[in-house]
Amino acid sequence: MKYYSTRDKNVSLSAAEAVKMGLSRDGGLLTPTRIPQIDRAFLERLIPMEYAQRAAKVMVLYLTDYSEEELLTFGRNAYGPAQFDDPIAAPVRKVEDGLYCLELWHGPTSAFKDMALQMLPQLLSAALRKTGEKRTACILAATSGDTGKAAMAGFADVPQTCIQVYYPKDGVSPVQERQMVTQEGENVDVRAVIGNFDDAQAGVKRIFSDEAVRAELDKRGYFLSSANSINWGRILPQVVYYISAYCDLVRDGALTMGDKVNFCVPTGNFGDILAAYYAKRMGLPVNRLICASNSNNVLTDFLRTGIYDRNRPFHTTISPSMDILISSNLERLLFDLSGENDAEIRMYMDALGSAGRYQVSDNIKAKLDDAFWGGCCSEEGTEETIRRYWQDYGYLIDPHTAVAAEVLAQYRVASGDETPAVVVSTASPYKFCGSVLTAIGETPCGDGLELLDQLHAVSGVPVPCRLAELKGKSRRFDKTVEKQAMEQAVLDFLK
Ligand SMILES: *Cc1c(COP(=O)(O)O)cnc(C)c1O
């Protein structure tokens, strides 16, 4: 299996090279040249398997320069009991008949990014070996909260890699900050940027394009790499849980093999729902993919009109991981829907860069209508849904999951489609204690780790052990950095 760029089909890379590079040099996303097909027999074989085995069986279809045995080892490291507090890693929970939640937050940082970021570092480390790379890969990440911690947890002490994370000093929740500054591992570093998330992100982008810094790092035996969801090594592990969820629904009698299912996904950068789309394209019996947004509803408008327009106000919401106006992974979807037309994609992305807007062809729009439905949810709707799930089902969900649950309800009313549906649950409610407490009618007392106890006291839901342990952990990192001084911070770290 080869990989090419959504902006240039003449690029031809192995999977290992694609994982190592992250992004194509032309700015396009590296994408498999064909989509492997699975059938009923394949799904039947997965049903009795543990999650790591399912992951190896699915991933080897795309990663043909990795062995299934190797991927199984990675899977056991990534999703084993040392990392995940549920033996199934990504369990499906029944809410009521025909309505299920796929819980993706049983990993070390209590958010769904663990599903991919426990796997990516191992894929990357192996890719360095396979491509004969002698230098150390240094991951630089700016984070608004979830990605940085999940990436550090994944890369901690992985050979031939290191990671430096930048977060906005006053821009992350107390739980998120504590998670980051207590991170263990000899190859990790964390800095608080004096500024907001955009400052941190702009600083990281500047470093990536700074030839002098790159040359100096090369001399010291390092090269820069990225762990965000433009890397194919982050999308592929996410394909696995859609297929795994289907197998579990069949195993538990909620579906008969071959029955269709809908997935409703709380969406930001379009990585998670893109993985669902690949699962559908591989032959998983999926009817509709429902794309849920918060008030930053650029995708809802896009799916309804075929016009992507980022020229709109940015809203800060209680589902912050979806506060995003440019969904990078949409490019991979458009590439597939256009019949792999790299020239057409270049045109759209040029227009996005210059005017912040593009309109897709009628052909693409028709295909979008066929596979997707988009909806959005206000802040009040999010809180109401958290309250409703708690009151009606005794099930505590986080704000991101609530956005998806509400949009699914909208879809069912609008379409009359009663296909069994899975809401993708992307974070533990304990990551967003303040918003969840308020939504269920409590007044948060304080704003730090004490909220974990308060939410536990009123709900009785167990606190994920990694979050509970934070109280006893000592701070390892306390460096701040001015936004102009980030280049120096990288050079200080990579001595
Ligand atoms: C990152 C994130 C999302 C959005 O996922 P994308 O792949 O960026 O669309 C949703 N919910 C949570 C909790 C997240 O951390």
Side-chain angles (χ1 to χ4, degrees):
M1 171 84 76
K2 289 291 184 184
Y3 289 76
Y4 51 21
S5 163
T6 49
R7 299 188 198 176
D8 182 3
K9 282 163 73 177
N10 294 318
V11 170
S12 176
L13 300 172
S14 68
E17 288 167 328
V19 167
K20 182 177 137 186
M21 282 184 64
L23 187 70
S24 184
R25 290 192 210 293
D26 49 55
L29 305 195
L30 295 166
T31 301
T33 48
R34 63 186 169 77
I35 297 180
Q37 297 298 299
I38 58 176
D39 56 15
R40 279 182 189 208
F42 180 92
L43 293 170
E44 298 279 7
R45 282 197 299 276
L46 292 194
I47 288 177
M49 291 182 184
E50 56 167 319
Y51 192 84
Q53 286 174 301
R54 291 175 178 177
K57 288 269 178 234
V58 172
M59 293 191 1
V60 78
L61 300 174
Y62 289 91
L63 303 179
T64 48
D65 46 346
Y66 292 67
S67 71
E68 189 177 324
E69 205 179 9
E70 189 179 20
L71 294 171
L72 181 58
T73 305
F74 297 166
R76 294 213 163 113
N77 293 339
Y79 306 118
Q83 315 299 338
F84 277 72
D85 67 12
D86 190 294
I88 304 169
V92 179
R93 184 188 157 118
K94 178 173 173 178
V95 179
E96 63 179 22
D97 282 344
L99 179 60
Y100 306 87
C101 261
L102 172 58
E103 295 183 345
L104 299 179
W105 39 262
H106 289 279
T109 77
S110 302
F112 99 99
K113 303 229 168 22
D114 290 328
M115 299 301 301
L117 281 166
Q118 284 295 309
M119 178 58 78
L120 173 70
Q122 303 185 78
L123 296 177
L124 177 60
S125 186
L128 299 178
R129 284 197 306 278
K130 289 174 198 291
T131 58
E133 178 63 63
K134 294 287 176 284
R135 295 170 300 170
T136 295
C138 178
I139 308 297
L140 285 191
T143 184
S144 58
D146 283 341
T147 304
K149 173 64 184 183
M152 282 193 288
F155 278 97
D157 295 327
V158 171
Q160 220 185 325
T161 72
C162 59
I163 175 164
Q164 189 175 42
V165 167
Y166 294 94
Y167 67 91
K169 187 167 184 306
D170 299 309
V172 300
S173 81
V175 170
Q176 288 173 323
E177 174 168 46
R178 187 64 95 88
Q179 281 186 306
M180 288 190 276
V181 300
T182 57
Q183 175 64 45
E184 285 158 20
E186 289 309 309
N187 62 340
V188 308
D189 187 42
V190 190
R191 309 274 168 123
V193 177
I194 301 173
N196 59 24
F197 171 65
D198 287 332
D199 296 323
Q201 169 126 306
V204 165
K205 285 196 175 151
R206 213 170 54 226
I207 295 166
F208 268 99
S209 55
D210 187 325
E211 290 302 331
V213 172
R214 278 177 176 270
E216 177 58 29
L217 293 181
D218 186 62
K219 244 195 282 172
R220 298 184 190 181
Y222 295 97
F223 72 98
L224 297 176
S225 188
S226 159
N228 72 35
S229 65
I230 52 176
N231 193 316
W232 177 248
R234 267 194 65 182
I235 301 298
L236 181 57
Q238 301 183 177
V239 175
V240 176
Y241 49 71
Y242 291 100
I243 296 173
S244 174
Y246 189 89
C247 291
D248 285 345
L249 288 168
V250 171
R251 182 199 58 203
D252 298 343
L255 294 177
T256 304
M257 180 61 81
D259 285 356
K260 297 237 168 158
V261 67
N262 290 338
F263 286 104
C264 182
V265 188
T267 297
N269 213 15
F270 212 79
D272 201 0
I273 194 167
L274 177 78
Y277 175 75
Y278 280 117
K280 177 172 161 67
R281 284 278 277 111
M282 290 170 77
L284 191 73
V286 175
N287 178 36
R288 267 284 169 67
L289 298 172
I290 300 147
C291 175
S293 301
N294 61 26
S295 337
N296 295 294
N297 58 358
V298 58
L299 286 167
T300 311
D301 291 346
F302 171 67
L303 290 171
R304 295 190 180 169
T305 63
I307 298 171
Y308 195 95
D309 189 352
R310 62 153 304 186
N311 303 304
R312 60 182 70 214
F314 176 87
H315 300 285
T316 302
T317 72
I318 57 170
S319 45
S321 299
M322 300 157 70
D323 293 347
I324 190 159
L325 291 179
I326 295 195
S327 300
S328 314
N329 270 299
L330 192 59
E331 183 168 340
R332 284 192 171 104
L333 175 68
L334 298 179
F335 182 68
D336 189 64
L337 295 179
S338 70
E340 294 99 33
N341 187 335
D342 51 357
E344 187 175 344
I345 300 306
R346 278 201 305 276
M347 194 177 71
Y348 297 145
M349 294 304 133
D350 286 348
L352 182 64
S354 56
R357 179 181 192 280
Y358 60 85
Q359 176 163 19
V360 295
S361 68
D362 292 346
N363 168 44
I364 290 186
K365 177 67 170 68
K367 290 186 188 167
L368 280 172
D369 290 345
D370 210 42
F372 290 88
W373 192 85
C376 58
C377 175
S378 66
E379 296 291 272
E380 301 74 51
T382 308
E383 291 197 342
E384 236 169 73
T385 306
I386 295 173
R387 183 160 59 246
R388 182 164 68 79
Y389 264 59
W390 178 239
Q391 282 171 358
D392 294 359
Y393 307 118
Y395 185 37
L396 201 61
I397 57 176
D398 97 290
H400 303 79
T401 309
V403 166
E406 161 57 19
V407 169
L408 175 65
Q410 291 173 20
Y411 169 73
R412 284 185 157 173
V413 170
S415 66
D417 178 6
E418 288 298 322
T419 303
V422 178
V423 169
V424 176
S425 179
T426 50
S428 158
Y430 280 99
K431 264 203 124 160
F432 301 94
C433 294
S435 307
V436 172
L437 279 163
T438 306
I440 63 173
E442 303 289 329
T443 307
C445 300
D447 61 0
L449 295 178
E450 62 276 14
L451 293 185
L452 295 170
D453 295 328
Q454 189 187 353
L455 186 54
H456 176 65
V458 300
S459 71
V461 174
V463 184
C465 62
R466 294 293 174 42
L467 296 182
E469 280 163 16
L470 284 176
K471 282 188 212 149
K473 289 227 161 137
S474 50
R475 181 185 264 272
R476 289 188 67 210
F477 302 97
D478 61 0
K479 289 205 181 98
T480 56
V481 57
E482 298 284 348
K483 61 188 180 190
Q484 304 84 355
M486 288 169 61
E487 283 83 352
Q488 193 52 47
V490 174
L491 294 171
D492 289 346
F493 175 50
L494 303 177
K495 275 272 165 16

